[in-house]
Amino acid sequence: MILNQDYSLNSPSNPALRNSIVSVYADGLGQTNPPGVDGAVTDSTLSTAAASVSASVDGVDSEVLCAGTAPGIVAGVFQVNVRVPEAAAPGSTVPLVLTAGGASSQAGVTLAIQ
């Protein structure tokens, strides 16, 4: 799931603006610091991804502002806040790739950009 900066669901009919921040929800980014408990609901004690997390949007390296847990979400699910680059193609749906610890997200994840 990807949310636009206004917390609305990103879709071709509701695209993100270039240079805005989107929240990408993902799993499989590895251990957190401090470690979490799989299956437990995250409380106010938030953790960050232990591995370095990077992102690309439309093949363009993108700024990752944070990568970690979010309150009220099951441990193991990460919220990764990514800035949509100015160089991304406007008016299209483009690939979004997260990489953590050398492993990249699955193909087919896309972001709609206005």
Side-chain angles (χ1 to χ4, degrees):
M1 176 172 69
I2 301 173
L3 299 180
N4 292 329
Q5 188 164 317
D6 65 359
Y7 304 108
S8 63
L9 187 62
N10 180 270
S11 69
S13 62
N14 190 36
L17 296 171
R18 290 182 296 159
N19 204 39
S20 68
I21 309 300
V22 294
S23 296
V24 181
Y25 291 87
D27 64 0
L29 298 181
Q31 187 55 265
T32 58
N33 186 16
V37 176
D38 268 354
V41 175
T42 303
D43 58 17
S44 61
T45 305
L46 302 181
S47 301
T48 58
S52 175
V53 177
S54 61
S56 70
V57 173
D58 196 23
V60 178
D61 288 341
S62 304
E63 179 184 8
V64 173
L65 287 86
C66 68
T69 59
I73 296 185
V74 175
V77 176
F78 289 80
Q79 177 180 331
V80 182
N81 291 346
V82 176
R83 183 177 307 279
V84 180
E86 284 288 337
S92 61
T93 301
V94 299
L96 183 144
V97 177
L98 297 179
T99 302
S104 295
S105 56
Q106 67 188 29
V109 177
T110 60
L111 174 69
I113 301 174
Q114 185 172 16

